[in-house]
Amino acid sequence: MNAANICVTNGYFQFNPIASSTGATPGGNPNQPLVLPEGFQQTIIASEPNYGGNSDMNTLNETGPEAGRYLYQTHEVGSNASVSVIDLKTNEVKTLAQRSDWGSMDGIVWTPWGTLITTQERGQSKFMKLIQRLVKQRQSQLLA
């Protein structure tokens, strides 16, 4: 068997990694910004100026009649922060909330009862630590 055909990852997302890192080029390729392993493809779902930029964490709506349709993200936008949603069916982008007294927006999670919780990472937030623990649990479930 050819060593190139042996999958080196386990879990749900099995793939052969790219052979090496790729050098950055000025301006990059706006139509294909990522280098992906063979068999994978990329689709741009949002871009500036409609997209808030500086996204931090994201989550999907995981329950309800349209589960998986909406991608929610936190953004650290200059001197303030925001939360946005992208409709993955229409690619429409909306800013749900943005405030000048928010900063370091980070944690975001879809709850089992169908609500969205976001947090700031300023200070010693016990709630932020809970969100990080939930994210790690979800990642380990996906990769198992």
Side-chain angles (χ1 to χ4, degrees):
M1 177 176 257
N2 183 341
N5 294 329
I6 298 173
C7 185
V8 297
T9 61
N10 296 323
Y12 185 76
F13 297 104
Q14 295 185 10
F15 63 93
N16 291 315
I18 58 176
S20 65
S21 294
T22 302
T25 58
N29 180 344
N31 297 317
Q32 292 190 320
L34 306 174
V35 175
L36 301 174
E38 185 177 329
F40 286 79
Q41 55 183 310
Q42 56 190 297
T43 302
I44 296 172
I45 58 172
S47 62
E48 294 178 348
N50 297 331
Y51 179 69
N54 295 331
S55 66
D56 204 320
M57 294 182 76
N58 59 67
T59 190
L60 293 169
N61 62 311
E62 299 173 6
T63 58
E66 296 187 283
R69 178 173 177 174
Y70 300 100
L71 176 66
Y72 296 90
Q73 298 179 302
T74 54
H75 302 270
E76 297 178 359
V77 187
S79 63
N80 60 74
S82 67
V83 178
S84 71
V85 61
I86 301 171
D87 183 331
L88 297 176
K89 190 173 183 180
T90 66
N91 291 348
E92 182 180 359
V93 179
K94 289 183 182 177
T95 298
L96 298 177
Q98 184 169 3
R99 291 178 46 160
S100 61
D101 61 336
W102 289 351
S104 303
M105 231 24 190
D106 192 25
I108 188 166
V109 67
W110 184 264
T111 69
W113 55 92
T115 57
L116 188 68
I117 298 174
T118 64
T119 66
Q120 299 181 85
E121 59 186 347
R122 289 181 175 170
Q124 296 294 319
S125 169
K126 291 181 181 178
F127 192 75
M128 183 62 195
K129 291 178 181 176
L130 171 65
I131 297 296
Q132 290 169 339
R133 192 174 326 131
L134 290 171
V135 168
K136 285 180 184 177
Q137 285 176 342
R138 186 70 45 85
Q139 287 171 339
S140 66
Q141 291 169 351
L142 290 173
L143 299 175

